[in-house]
């Protein structure tokens, strides 16, 4: 391909279809005009060129899975590969883009994708941590920051948001999602898509979102990654699908298939998911990409006998782009020639890819995202660091604070102990994208010293994260004895959650539990700060320490944010978005469980033949929605505008929340509903609303919610989606254990 012929094609396209197209705001539908331009281009393409647009290869800049082949640069130049992931920086993407634009016959630019999950270089807390902020505006702002930075580094497309519901903390990937709840999952999915894509994809500061992993990946059996998923369609539709749909309704232009099979059909060959639901029911007209080599994996799944077969299955199921597997590249031509795949099927896939390239504006200006100046200004800017700091400060969850252990007074003598106190890398979490440990200006230890002064702070590592070496215990104990308070910074290493990082033991790893017991036995006030990407089993530690602060992997500004919380410059306001079990045997454990026919009543502990364990309570260690503040919030009784909700109308409920403590603070006021009798069993309660409110000390704020029939819908016995007349209980409070309640009835629903 030479420059002249490229210009010729562009001129031809310009004549056929003047680019008056403008993206419709907030819509998931390709803007008008683009489809005509796509069709014109398609007519010029050879079969090989079309197939090239369905191919996505990794660059060697980063590796996020097994690399199957070398030579992505040759594949770009020959037009065999139209899309690249794991490459970034303005300079490098420009270099690759040049190959596509100047050396292929049609000069169609590459699409660059990357896992920009919770920031590009300015990393915010991991996604599960962000979700614990319950702060939708800030979550959107964080995604916007990630998009701006990524776009300035040559990227067009992020493989996020991950919206898989996570109810099994053994599964390492719960760290990448928004926790266990569909309602919260929907709200966060929308916020993230809006943050990444903005209102206009043609805006150079936005990137394409990719909703992943479709579908139900979070329900992998026994919490083991890539494992099978088997669930009823009711659970699929009620619990797992809503967040994907919400992301698509919010405009997400791409979808990634999941690795798992669902009821016997791998997601990457699943036309029920990818066609019947995604395209036909939800009206998605964007592009579907596989997860990493997921087409190849149809062979070990046992539904394809060879690569050819796998490619045909995936294409016929509605997969547009093959990530890294090379199956479309190697086998689609033959499949078309044999008639196993229709040209129309391939054309549709290519259309979906090309439409994105037009929408992003790279067909007209292939280098618009490769801007070294913008990259310099944007990456790790003061403004971005401030967003990451805010996000970190708001996502930490205070789980216990007895004897006013926190906040710490700046003149107290503090012994800092633990293998994570002085770590930069662990602050970043597993999906660090282009983030670098050296961009961390302060570890938790550094920032504690900044707050308390080096004369008041000692440090010893005490032990490793995950070995049985106790050589450091003695020094740690010595230092603890001399201190007024001990801050232990413990937990899981960054690599112990994320993809392919599942655990069956969710205790603190290595000898950390022993060190915690030895230190707490000294009788000094102990504050345990812990990093994790999941809900952990920390019953013993939670009983023996005075204060417990979950900081997740808090990102590049996490050290500063955590220390500012410890010293009272920030008041914690995060709330758990995943239930913390007492032990692994309780898993899966989530707040919106079903009552069963033999519910256990804890006030009658001697009752037998009830749904209970002999060796542990049914209740979790910390429930969904739980999190403390340095201040206290008191809730009034709930007032309700009408105890009858007539179909088509709405009712108002409200509570007054008083900050009765000594600090200004923020509270997440949560509303749950129990549908008492229905045609199918219903959860004991479901989150249906929340508001994060700032209330200064001594002040009272009225918090209102509106409830209508929409909030009461579910999949009825006949699988139609709607509400049913009946009696409901509303709970409003500070976590999912809320017992402050009021009842109402719903009447007049037309069936
Ligand atoms: C992960 C995806 C990710 C992809 C590309 C896969 O292994 O499952 O979440 O987007 O790699 O890095």
């Amino acid at each position: 391909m030479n420059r002249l012929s490229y210009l010729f094609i562009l001129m031809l396209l310009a004549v056929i279809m003047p680019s008056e197209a403008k993206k419709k705001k907030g819509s998931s539908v390709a803007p008008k005009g683009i489809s005509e331009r796509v069709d014109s281009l398609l007519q010029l393409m050879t079969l090989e060129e079309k197939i090239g647009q369905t191919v996505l290869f990794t660059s060697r800049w980063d590796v996020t899975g097994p690399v199957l082949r070398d030579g992505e640069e040759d594949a770009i130049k020959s037009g065999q590969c139209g899309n690249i992931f794991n490459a970034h920086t303005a300079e490098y993407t420009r270099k690759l883009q040049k190959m596509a634009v100047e050396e292929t016959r049609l000069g169609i630019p590459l699409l660059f994708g990357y896992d920009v999950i919770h920031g590009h270089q300015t990393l915010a807390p991991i996604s599960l941590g962000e979700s614990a902020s319950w702060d939708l505006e800030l979550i959107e702002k964080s995604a916007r920051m990630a998009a701006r930075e990524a776009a300035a580094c040559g990227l067009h497309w992020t493989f996020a948001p991950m919206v898989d519901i996570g109810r099994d903390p053994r599964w390492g990937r719960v760290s990448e999602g928004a926790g266990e709840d569909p309602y919260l999952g929907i709200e966060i999915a929308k916020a993230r898509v809006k943050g990444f894509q903005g209102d206009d994809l043609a805006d150079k500061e936005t990137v394409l979102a990719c909703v992943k992993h479709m579908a139900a990946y979070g329900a992998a059996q026994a919490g083991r990654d890539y494992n099978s998923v088997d669930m009823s369609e009711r659970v699929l539709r009620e619990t797992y699908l809503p967040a994907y749909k919400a992301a698509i309704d919010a405009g997400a232009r791409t979808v990634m298939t999941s690795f798992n099979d669902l009821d016997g059909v791998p997601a990457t060959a699943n036309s029920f998911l990818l066609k019947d639901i995604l395209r036909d029911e939800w009206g998605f007209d964007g592009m579907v990409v596989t997860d990493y080599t997921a087409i190849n994996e149809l062979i070990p799944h046992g539904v394809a006998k060879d690569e050819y077969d796998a490619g045909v299955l995936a294409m016929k199921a509605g997969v547009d782009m093959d990530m890294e597997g090379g199956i479309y590249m190697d086998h689609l031509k033959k499949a078309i020639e044999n008639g196993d795949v229709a040209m129309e099927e391939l054309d549709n896939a290519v259309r979906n890819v090309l439409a994105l390239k037009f929408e992003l504006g790279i067909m007209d200006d292939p280098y618009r995202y490769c801007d070294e100046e913008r990259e310099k200004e944007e990456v790790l800017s003061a403004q971005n660091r401030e967003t990451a700091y805010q996000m970190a400060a708001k996502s930490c969850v205070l789980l216990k604070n007895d004897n006013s252990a926190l906040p710490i007074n700046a003149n107290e003598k503090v012994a800092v102990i633990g293998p994570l106190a002085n770590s930069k890398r662990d602050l970043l979490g597993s999906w660090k994208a282009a983030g670098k440990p050296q961009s961390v200006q302060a570890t938790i230890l550094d920032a504690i010293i900044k707050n308390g002064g080096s004369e008041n702070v000692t440090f010893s590592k005490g032990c490793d994260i995950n070995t049985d070496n106790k050589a450091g215990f003695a020094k740690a104990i010595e230092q603890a004895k001399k201190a007024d308070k001990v801050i232990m910074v413990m937990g899981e290493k960054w690599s112990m959650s994320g993809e392919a990082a599942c655990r069956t033991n969710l205790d603190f790893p290595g000898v950390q539990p022993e060190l915690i017991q030895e230190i707490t036995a000294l009788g000094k006030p102990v504050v345990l700060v812990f990093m994790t990407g999941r809900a952990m089993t920390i019953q013993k530690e939670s009983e023996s320490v005075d204060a417990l602060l979950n900081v997740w992997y808090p990102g590049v500004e996490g050290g500063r944010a955590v220390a500012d919380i410890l010293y009272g410059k920030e008041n914690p306001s995060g709330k758990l978005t995943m239930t913390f079990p007492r032990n692994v045997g309780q898993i899966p454990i989530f707040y919106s469980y079903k009552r069963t026919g033999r519910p256990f009543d804890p006030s009658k502990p001697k009752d037998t033949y009830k749904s209970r364990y002999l060796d542990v309570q049914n209740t979790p260690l910390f429930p969904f929605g739980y999190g403390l503040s340095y201040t206290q919030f008191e809730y009034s009784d709930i007032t309700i505008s009408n105890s009858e909700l007539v179909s088509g109308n709405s009712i108002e409920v409200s509570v007054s929340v008083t900050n009765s403590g000594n600090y200004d603070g923020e509270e997440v006021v949560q509303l749950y509903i129990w549908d008492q009798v229905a045609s199918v069993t219903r959860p004991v309660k479901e989150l249906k609303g929340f508001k994060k409110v700032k209330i200064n000390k001594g002040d009272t704020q009225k918090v209102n919610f509106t409830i209508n029939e929409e909030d009461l819908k579910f999949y009825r016995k006949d699988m139609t989606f709607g509400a049913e007349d009946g009696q409901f209980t509303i709970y409003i409070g500070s976590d999912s254990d809320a017992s402050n309640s009021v009842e109402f009835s719903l009447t007049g629903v037309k069936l």
Side-chain angles (χ1 to χ4, degrees):
M1 169 78 190
N2 60 40
R3 182 121 193 101
L4 269 183
S5 46
Y6 171 66
L7 286 175
F8 170 76
I9 305 270
L10 280 186
M11 276 164 56
L12 188 68
L13 285 175
V15 173
I16 297 167
M17 189 56 235
S19 84
E20 88 289 350
K22 200 76 194 105
K23 169 93 176 79
K24 263 202 280 165
K25 289 210 166 186
S27 154
S28 79
V29 176
K32 207 172 156 284
I34 282 187
S35 66
E36 288 83 348
R37 291 186 79 190
V38 166
D39 281 337
S40 312
L41 179 54
L42 201 63
Q43 280 170 29
L44 304 171
M45 294 171 78
T46 63
L47 176 56
E48 288 80 1
E49 284 164 346
K50 288 180 185 174
I51 292 171
Q53 292 304 308
T54 69
V55 175
L56 171 65
F57 278 151
T58 182
S59 105
R60 286 325 106 108
W61 272 56
D62 198 355
V63 174
T64 53
V67 179
L68 293 192
R69 63 185 79 217
D70 284 327
E72 70 278 6
E73 295 194 1
D74 292 340
I76 294 171
K77 290 181 202 158
S78 64
Q80 285 181 300
C81 167
N83 312 282
I84 289 287
F85 69 117
N86 290 341
H88 52 90
T89 75
E91 188 188 358
Y92 186 56
T93 54
R94 176 189 299 279
K95 178 181 160 205
L96 298 182
Q97 193 66 296
K98 251 178 142 191
M99 294 175 192
V101 170
E102 294 185 6
E103 297 188 44
T104 65
R105 188 180 73 98
L106 292 176
I108 300 172
L110 298 164
L111 191 64
F112 288 105
Y114 198 37
D115 292 280
V116 180
I117 310 294
H118 52 101
H120 183 59
Q121 286 212 38
T122 310
L123 293 174
I126 58 164
S127 308
L128 184 62
E130 284 199 351
S131 75
S133 72
W134 297 59
D135 188 330
L136 300 173
E137 249 176 63
L138 193 55
I139 291 172
E140 182 179 333
K141 191 171 172 193
S142 173
R144 174 58 53 88
M145 162 185 83
R148 273 200 323 268
E149 266 195 17
C153 296
L155 293 162
H156 310 130
W157 182 23
T158 176
F159 302 139
M162 189 275 224
V163 302
D164 303 321
I165 295 294
R167 295 188 161 184
D168 189 333
R170 292 172 297 181
W171 190 51
R173 302 199 78 170
V174 295
S175 59
E176 300 172 43
E180 72 184 43
D181 185 63
Y183 180 89
L184 186 61
I186 288 173
E187 296 304 314
I188 291 180
K190 290 193 293 198
R192 290 197 165 129
V193 170
K194 269 172 74 186
F196 291 134
Q197 291 196 169
D199 285 335
D200 187 359
L201 275 177
D203 177 341
K204 283 195 293 198
E205 299 198 336
T206 60
V207 292
L208 294 163
C210 182
V211 192
K212 71 186 190 185
H213 309 81
M214 180 128 176
Y217 184 32
Q221 279 169 6
R224 181 156 53 77
D225 210 359
Y226 318 124
N227 209 358
S228 249
V229 175
D230 204 343
M231 66 171 58
S232 69
E233 191 172 335
R234 186 182 310 285
V235 172
L236 177 71
R237 287 185 180 276
E238 237 162 56
T239 304
Y240 287 85
L241 290 186
Y244 306 101
K245 176 164 191 305
I248 285 155
D249 290 346
R253 298 292 292 134
T254 76
V255 169
M256 187 185 292
T257 66
S258 55
F259 286 126
N260 56 285
D261 69 333
L262 179 65
D263 305 342
V265 185
T268 305
N270 197 319
S271 59
F272 169 65
L273 286 176
L274 304 180
K275 284 188 167 164
D276 301 354
I277 293 184
L278 183 64
R279 303 268 181 204
D280 298 347
E281 276 183 39
W282 298 352
F284 177 69
D285 84 336
M287 192 271 286
V288 175
V289 63
T290 69
D291 203 345
Y292 205 113
T293 61
I295 303 183
N296 314 54
E297 292 165 25
L298 297 177
I299 303 169
H301 265 300
V303 298
K305 64 176 182 307
D306 54 25
E307 291 191 348
Y308 177 91
D309 208 12
V312 171
L313 277 177
M315 181 52 78
K316 297 204 93 66
V319 169
D320 300 321
M321 190 184 283
D322 174 3
M323 184 192 288
E324 185 57 17
I327 300 262
Y328 280 0
M329 176 168 113
D330 293 341
H331 302 283
L332 265 188
K333 184 164 184 238
K334 189 105 193 134
I336 298 266
E337 285 164 2
N338 290 348
D340 288 328
V341 168
M343 185 62 94
E344 199 193 336
E345 289 171 306
L346 174 62
D347 282 352
N348 284 338
V350 178
R351 271 193 194 96
N352 293 337
V353 177
L354 292 178
L356 301 179
K357 297 185 178 184
F358 278 107
E359 286 170 43
L360 289 164
I362 55 175
M363 292 301 290
D364 300 314
D365 179 5
Y367 305 106
R368 64 201 303 264
Y369 289 74
C370 319
D371 181 341
E372 283 84 351
E373 272 313 299
R374 197 152 70 94
E375 182 173 38
K376 244 185 266 152
E377 274 165 32
E378 193 61 59
V379 168
L380 290 162
S381 68
Q383 182 199 352
N384 291 355
R385 282 189 180 273
E386 179 57 23
T387 301
Y389 170 86
Q390 290 291 336
M391 196 74 250
K394 300 225 175 196
S395 61
C396 295
V397 187
L398 182 65
L399 294 169
K400 181 178 182 185
N401 191 18
D402 284 0
N403 316 315
S404 302
L406 288 175
I408 292 166
N409 205 311
N411 51 32
E412 283 176 300
K413 298 252 177 256
V414 164
V416 178
I417 296 170
L420 288 163
N422 202 24
S423 164
K424 291 189 169 179
R425 174 63 188 88
D426 290 286
L427 290 171
L428 307 182
S430 65
W431 271 130
K432 64 167 185 46
K436 299 184 189 88
Q438 58 268 33
S439 305
V440 173
Q441 290 166 339
T443 62
I444 293 179
L445 174 67
D446 297 333
I448 287 175
I449 293 173
K450 193 139 195 232
N451 275 276
S454 55
E455 67 287 5
N456 286 329
V457 180
T458 60
F459 168 63
S460 64
K461 195 173 154 206
C463 62
D464 301 321
I465 295 172
N466 200 12
T467 70
D468 55 9
N469 182 357
K470 294 193 202 168
F473 276 32
K475 182 177 168 205
I477 291 168
E478 264 331 289
Q479 292 187 341
K481 281 185 187 159
K482 293 190 195 133
D484 299 323
K485 275 184 186 160
V486 182
I487 304 175
M488 303 193 78
V489 188
M490 317 292 270
E492 296 181 307
K493 193 176 169 53
W494 67 267
S495 54
M496 296 178 87
S497 60
E499 188 176 350
C502 303
R503 301 182 68 206
T504 60
N505 175 345
L506 303 184
D507 299 344
F508 289 118
V511 290
Q512 295 184 73
E514 287 172 60
L515 183 57
I516 295 169
Q517 293 319 315
E518 294 208 19
I519 297 285
T520 51
L522 301 175
K524 300 270 175 176
V526 175
V527 175
L528 176 55
V529 173
F530 68 103
M531 288 189 204
T532 180
R534 53 161 59 86
M536 299 190 74
T537 50
I538 50 170
Q539 173 137 10
K540 203 162 168 204
E541 292 76 14
S542 72
E543 284 161 5
S544 60
V545 302
D546 297 271
L548 192 57
L549 183 70
N550 178 2
V551 304
W552 313 105
Y553 299 106
V556 80
E557 290 297 322
R560 188 157 68 91
V562 169
D564 284 355
I565 289 176
L566 295 174
Y567 282 85
K569 290 183 184 156
E570 297 281 346
N571 188 353
S573 60
K575 303 267 189 177
L576 295 179
T577 56
M578 262 196 102
T579 304
F580 268 49
R582 292 176 191 275
N583 65 23
V584 169
Q586 287 185 314
I587 296 170
I589 181 169
F590 45 92
Y591 81 92
S592 57
Y593 59 91
K594 302 279 186 81
R595 281 163 65 79
T596 80
R598 293 187 178 189
F600 173 65
D601 177 354
S603 68
K604 297 180 192 152
K606 296 230 161 72
D607 271 9
T608 53
Y609 297 106
K610 296 292 183 187
S611 182
R612 64 178 300 193
Y613 299 106
L614 293 178
D615 56 349
V616 71
Q617 298 162 56
N618 285 0
T619 55
L621 181 61
F622 298 114
F624 173 85
Y626 183 76
L628 303 171
S629 162
Y630 290 154
T631 194
Q632 284 79 45
F633 296 104
E634 279 166 26
Y635 283 68
S636 71
D637 288 344
I638 305 173
T639 58
I640 186 162
S641 62
N642 197 331
S643 58
E644 182 185 2
L645 169 59
V646 180
S647 172
N649 294 351
S650 59
I651 53 174
E652 304 288 324
V653 284
S654 58
V655 285
S656 292
V657 183
T658 301
N659 180 341
S660 58
N662 295 323
Y663 300 83
D664 297 344
E666 284 183 284
E667 168 71 330
V668 182
V669 180
Q670 301 161 44
L671 179 144
Y672 297 86
I673 298 184
W674 172 38
D675 181 349
Q676 296 181 10
V677 179
S679 58
V680 292
T681 57
R682 305 283 296 123
V684 291
K685 52 175 70 139
E686 292 176 293
L687 184 70
K688 290 293 175 183
F690 66 88
K691 292 206 171 133
K692 186 159 188 173
V693 288
K694 176 151 199 314
I695 310 177
N696 291 338
K697 62 180 171 198
D699 284 359
T700 295
Q701 196 164 315
K702 197 163 172 217
V703 181
N704 303 310
F705 296 94
T706 304
I707 294 169
N708 57 42
E709 194 177 330
E710 210 46 45
D711 300 313
L712 309 176
K713 289 185 171 169
F714 61 100
Y715 285 89
R716 296 177 289 211
K717 198 169 180 188
D718 61 1
M719 284 304 284
T720 56
F721 186 66
E724 289 173 355
D725 283 358
Q727 199 66 16
F728 297 81
T729 306
I730 294 173
Y731 303 89
I732 302 182
S734 59
D735 61 55
S736 61
D737 266 354
S739 54
N740 190 16
S741 68
V742 70
E743 293 206 5
F744 72 96
S745 59
L746 172 67
T747 60
V749 174
K750 286 179 206 68
L751 292 175

